Amino acid sequence: MRFGSSPGQAGYEGQAGYEGQGGRHRSVLAAVALAGCGALLVTGCSPEGAPDAGRGGSPPGATSAATGSPGPSGSGAASPSASGPPAKGAVTVTGEVAKGLESPWGVAPLPGGDLLVASRDKGTISRVAAGSGTVTQIGEVPGVEPGGEGGLLGLALSPDFASDRLVYVYFTTASDNRIARLRYDEQRPPGQQLGAPDTVFRGIPKGLIHNGGRIAFGPDRMLYAGTGETGVTGLAQDRKSLGGKILRMTPDGDPVHGNPEADSVVYSYGHRNVQGLAWDKDKRLWAAEFGQNTWDELNLIEPGANYGWPEAEGKAGRPGMRDPVAVWKTDEASPSGIAWAEGSIWMAGLKGARLWRIPLSGTAPVAEPEAFLADKYGRLRSVIALGGDRLLLVTSETDGRGSPEAGDDRILTLTVR
């Protein structure tokens, strides 16, 4: 059953885009070592050697918001070419990095291959050893107030993590959603390795539903955050509100010169609940978000563009509003994290309990989205690119919406094409 905010529906997360529940049947893989994680961080640091626009520079891949929308998937899609991916892809689950995780949400690969994992409901960050899968709590983020879809959500490493050791977090407090950074000191005892939080941005609306939460540093070394409208639909079109937006700010939380409006961190608006952010090889920003009762969306993000919610859902063709590049029925997706690899966007589905592949030639789909791993591992929360054809996939069965089995939740390694 899909829960929504329209008359005659009940429940939350929601009420306008509930992450949903899904059944499954699956086999459990033996644990294997994770080798060479951390070279390419789609959520976290930019790839080593990536061009840098510098502080206050123009956003990567930015084009005018007045240009036309990308073509639809299926009819009007781009034809496969030598430079584009094949219409049909493949996914192989190559191992299990960790299991027994509680409400994992944000994940950041560390240099050397270990992972940092945020627990939404516990408000803690743990380190997962690449070779053994051992999970060690490194600390707790003070002030986290879990509830509904809120708690400790996105996680990203500073672009200068090798020298400053700063970990950025997006989390829900008693009054708002905010972004803070904490210094990670591996020389201190386990459980006490996080310094006091330094809040860099506050005042993002909070609610039981639609808290957004994904954060990532872009190729321009600026910090991006996806927010939700908390079920108050009018916030998405309110340019003065931080709800239902994608935000772009400096690592210190300040507006970036070159943002659509001076002295504002708002980068795009008209969003319902953004939980996936990723850049393609040409530094274009993509975002996944919940629809309400009909269409979930993958959007190509351009500065200053209006993505329609609540006046439009899916490919509405409304003047002045940007249509999504791809859409799904809400019981097939409820999208969360996304990553770019091998010419495609890879999107985790919560209620849909499957991994979606959207092959792209530039900004146009080569073919219809293709589903993998349907109902095999349950609800899927995050996808992290490791470079080349390697991904991490994080399940989400212990978040109160799933049907956890022995060993849940898990982080899996994939090879894709």
Side-chain angles (χ1 to χ4, degrees):
M1 176 180 180
R2 180 76 176 186
F3 291 83
S5 60
S6 58
Q9 292 185 313
Y12 65 94
E13 171 147 314
Q15 223 172 339
Y18 179 47
E19 289 181 356
Q21 294 176 318
R24 56 172 173 173
H25 175 70
R26 62 187 185 179
S27 58
V28 178
L29 296 170
V32 300
L34 170 64
C37 277
L40 177 65
L41 311 186
V42 170
T43 54
C45 302
S46 302
E48 185 176 356
D52 177 14
R55 287 183 180 271
S58 298
T63 57
S64 170
T67 60
S69 300
S73 61
S75 59
S79 299
S81 68
S83 61
K88 294 295 183 180
V91 173
T92 301
V93 179
T94 56
E96 183 180 84
V97 181
K99 62 182 179 180
L101 302 173
E102 183 177 335
S103 61
W105 213 99
V107 175
L110 291 166
D114 287 1
L115 306 175
L116 294 184
V117 182
S119 170
R120 186 194 71 181
D121 297 339
K122 295 172 65 178
T124 58
I125 299 176
S126 295
R127 180 167 181 156
V128 176
S132 64
T134 301
V135 179
T136 304
Q137 184 175 312
I138 67 169
E140 183 174 357
V141 178
V144 174
E145 185 167 296
E149 295 175 17
L152 180 57
L153 304 174
L155 193 63
L157 303 184
S158 162
D160 298 313
F161 179 79
S163 58
D164 64 27
R165 313 304 289 178
L166 292 177
V167 178
Y168 283 71
V169 293
Y170 182 116
F171 64 102
T172 311
T173 74
S175 60
D176 65 357
N177 285 297
R178 63 184 60 176
I179 300 170
R181 56 191 175 192
L182 306 91
R183 193 176 304 278
Y184 176 28
D185 185 354
E186 300 172 48
Q187 303 305 312
R188 299 181 66 183
Q192 303 174 35
Q193 295 176 341
L194 292 177
D198 171 23
T199 299
V200 299
F201 197 82
R202 67 180 74 223
I204 301 168
K206 63 163 282 188
L208 282 177
I209 61 171
H210 300 180
N211 288 286
R214 195 70 61 180
I215 56 174
F217 282 94
D220 57 355
R221 296 170 60 89
M222 297 297 107
L223 179 61
Y224 293 73
T227 76
E229 33 76 306
T230 71
V232 182
T233 58
L235 297 184
Q237 291 292 323
D238 182 353
R239 300 291 292 273
K240 295 181 180 179
S241 172
L242 298 170
K245 309 293 191 294
I246 292 176
L247 311 179
R248 177 177 180 250
M249 64 191 75
T250 71
D252 295 325
D254 298 320
V256 182
H257 177 69
N259 275 3
E261 294 184 11
D263 301 321
S264 174
V265 298
V266 173
Y267 190 65
S268 63
Y269 67 107
H271 299 287
R272 193 157 180 270
N273 189 29
V274 177
Q275 289 197 4
L277 298 172
W279 288 263
D280 64 23
K281 66 181 179 63
D282 294 314
K283 305 183 185 68
R284 290 178 288 248
L285 176 58
W286 298 82
E289 64 179 285
F290 290 157
Q292 179 164 299
N293 300 314
T294 309
W295 298 114
D296 291 329
E297 301 179 356
L298 175 70
N299 285 297
L300 173 63
I301 302 303
E302 297 186 356
N306 179 359
Y307 289 84
W309 181 254
E311 297 176 29
E313 180 183 0
K315 296 181 179 180
R318 297 284 294 274
M321 297 181 180
R322 194 58 53 90
D323 277 353
V325 172
V327 296
W328 294 262
K329 292 293 186 181
T330 51
D331 60 353
E332 296 178 338
S334 292
S336 189
I338 61 173
W340 185 91
E342 297 295 290
S344 298
I345 294 289
W346 300 85
M347 186 181 81
L350 288 161
K351 185 178 181 183
R354 67 200 72 180
L355 178 67
W356 286 98
R357 173 184 182 261
I358 305 94
L360 298 168
S361 177
T363 62
V366 166
E368 291 288 344
E370 186 178 11
F372 295 93
L373 309 178
D375 294 324
K376 192 169 184 181
Y377 297 98
R379 294 159 55 80
L380 304 178
R381 173 67 66 181
S382 297
V383 190
I384 299 93
L386 298 177
D389 62 355
R390 298 176 301 135
L391 297 176
L392 292 177
L393 182 63
V394 183
T395 70
S396 191
E397 285 289 292
T398 61
D399 64 352
R401 306 280 165 70
S403 303
E405 298 178 0
D408 283 331
D409 269 310
R410 307 167 189 276
I411 301 177
L412 306 170
T413 54
L414 312 178
T415 59
V416 300
R417 65 170 174 84

